[in-house]
């Protein structure tokens, strides 16, 4: 069994996590650096993306259980989350609409083609949902998948620092902002720093995925 892809993924992530633990800079983010290092390795050894993914299947297998495990902190923080249910609902609606409208109208400012606007609009939800929505509204699902990953990486690398800069200290607000804007990768970062924020981030990610899947097809013809 070829596990080269799994090996270099774990090796690079472990190496850069150790580096990040010594010097906590967003520019030393282990997810970001691991992706760059893996890309360079594949290029140097002329390994195709398909070969890499085939040999990294074991990691993909654990992705599902990892997402489901977000239910554990959610359950542990259920009492607090119930207390903030109205704020969380409002945050998902406002945050989800802001992510869609900001992407579309920034592209409009630069006279970007309509197909790009449709591809960018669902970039803040998880890949599987975003690709399905992109296809339904006339975007390019493959491009949307890349944008989703870039959005997640940026959230993973910079979301907590940006929230610190804006002096957002409340755990529920920090988690909601991270989950709604940068889905699973952002959640993976903030849950390490604050369990309540991580629980809310996972909930925000899930609710925003559902919200975007329903609202975006309904409004896309109005906003593009």
């Amino acid at each position: 069994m070829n596990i080269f892809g799994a090996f270099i993924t774990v090796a690079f992530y472990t190496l850069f996590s150790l580096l990040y633990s010594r010097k906590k800079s967003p520019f030393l983010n282990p997810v970001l650096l691991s992706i760059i290092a893996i890309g360079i390795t594949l290029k140097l050894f002329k390994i195709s993306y398909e070969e890499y993914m085939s040999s990294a299947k074991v990691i993909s297998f654990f992705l599902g259980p990892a997402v489901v495990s977000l239910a554990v902190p959610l359950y542990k923080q259920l009492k607090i989350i119930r207390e903030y249910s109205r704020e969380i609902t409002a945050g998902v609606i406002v945050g989800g609409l802001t992510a869609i409208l900001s992407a579309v109208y920034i592209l409009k400012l630069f006279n970007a083609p309509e197909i790009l606007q449709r591809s960018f609009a669902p970039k803040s939800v998880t890949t599987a949902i975003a690709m399905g929505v992109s296809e339904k509204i006339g975007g390019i699902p493959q491009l949307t998948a890349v944008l989703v990953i870039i959005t997640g990486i940026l959230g993973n690398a910079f979301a907590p620092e940006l929230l610190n800069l804006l002096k957002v200290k409340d755990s529920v607000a920090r988690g909601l902002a991270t989950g709604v804007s940068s889905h699973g990768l952002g959640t993976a970062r903030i849950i390490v720093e604050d369990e309540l924020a991580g629980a809310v981030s996972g909930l925000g990610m899930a609710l925003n995925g559902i919200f975007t899947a329903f609202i975006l097809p309904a409004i896309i013809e109005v906003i593009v």
Side-chain angles (χ1 to χ4, degrees):
M1 180 180 178
N2 183 1
I3 58 167
F4 176 76
F7 174 76
I8 62 169
T9 302
V10 173
F12 279 132
Y13 185 76
T14 302
L15 175 66
F16 291 126
S17 293
L18 288 172
L19 181 63
Y20 181 77
S21 67
R22 294 185 177 184
K23 188 172 178 59
K24 291 188 179 300
S25 165
F27 297 101
L28 295 178
N29 182 273
V31 174
L32 177 62
L33 293 182
S34 296
I35 291 173
I36 294 172
I38 290 169
I40 293 172
T41 302
L42 298 185
K43 189 73 176 176
L44 285 176
F45 291 95
K46 298 181 179 178
I47 299 170
S48 69
Y49 175 74
E50 289 74 18
E51 288 178 277
Y52 164 73
M53 282 304 295
S54 176
S55 60
K57 276 182 179 176
V58 64
I59 293 179
S60 300
F61 172 79
F62 286 110
L63 185 60
V67 173
V68 173
S69 69
L70 290 174
V72 176
L74 189 63
Y75 177 76
K76 290 167 70 176
Q77 304 292 341
L78 197 55
K79 184 179 178 182
I80 297 176
I81 289 172
R82 278 178 176 164
E83 292 175 2
Y84 285 90
S85 58
R86 290 182 181 177
E87 290 84 354
I88 290 173
T89 303
V92 169
I93 294 171
V94 174
L97 284 174
T98 301
I100 294 169
L101 297 176
S102 61
V104 170
Y105 283 102
I106 287 173
L107 288 171
K108 275 180 175 290
L109 283 176
F110 292 96
N111 295 317
E114 191 176 304
I115 194 168
L116 282 184
Q117 298 174 33
R118 293 172 185 269
S119 303
F120 269 74
K123 64 171 178 48
S124 291
V125 298
T126 54
T127 309
I129 295 174
M131 290 182 72
V133 172
S134 178
E135 185 174 17
K136 188 172 183 178
I137 64 175
I140 306 170
Q142 295 82 355
L143 174 59
T144 301
V146 173
L147 296 169
V148 169
I149 293 169
I150 292 173
T151 302
I153 291 171
L154 291 174
N156 187 286
F158 299 107
E161 284 74 16
L162 180 60
L163 292 168
N164 291 340
L165 188 67
L166 296 174
K167 301 188 184 305
V168 179
K169 297 179 180 178
D170 183 82
S171 294
V172 174
R174 289 173 67 88
L176 193 58
T178 304
V180 170
S181 62
S182 53
H183 51 82
L185 282 171
T187 301
R189 167 76 189 282
I190 204 157
I191 200 170
V192 174
E193 302 180 3
D194 184 333
E195 187 178 70
L196 175 57
V200 176
S201 183
L203 179 62
M205 171 187 72
L207 293 177
N208 189 39
I210 297 169
F211 175 72
T212 301
F214 278 102
I215 196 69
L216 188 50
I219 66 171
I220 190 67
E221 299 302 334
V222 178
I223 63 175
V224 296

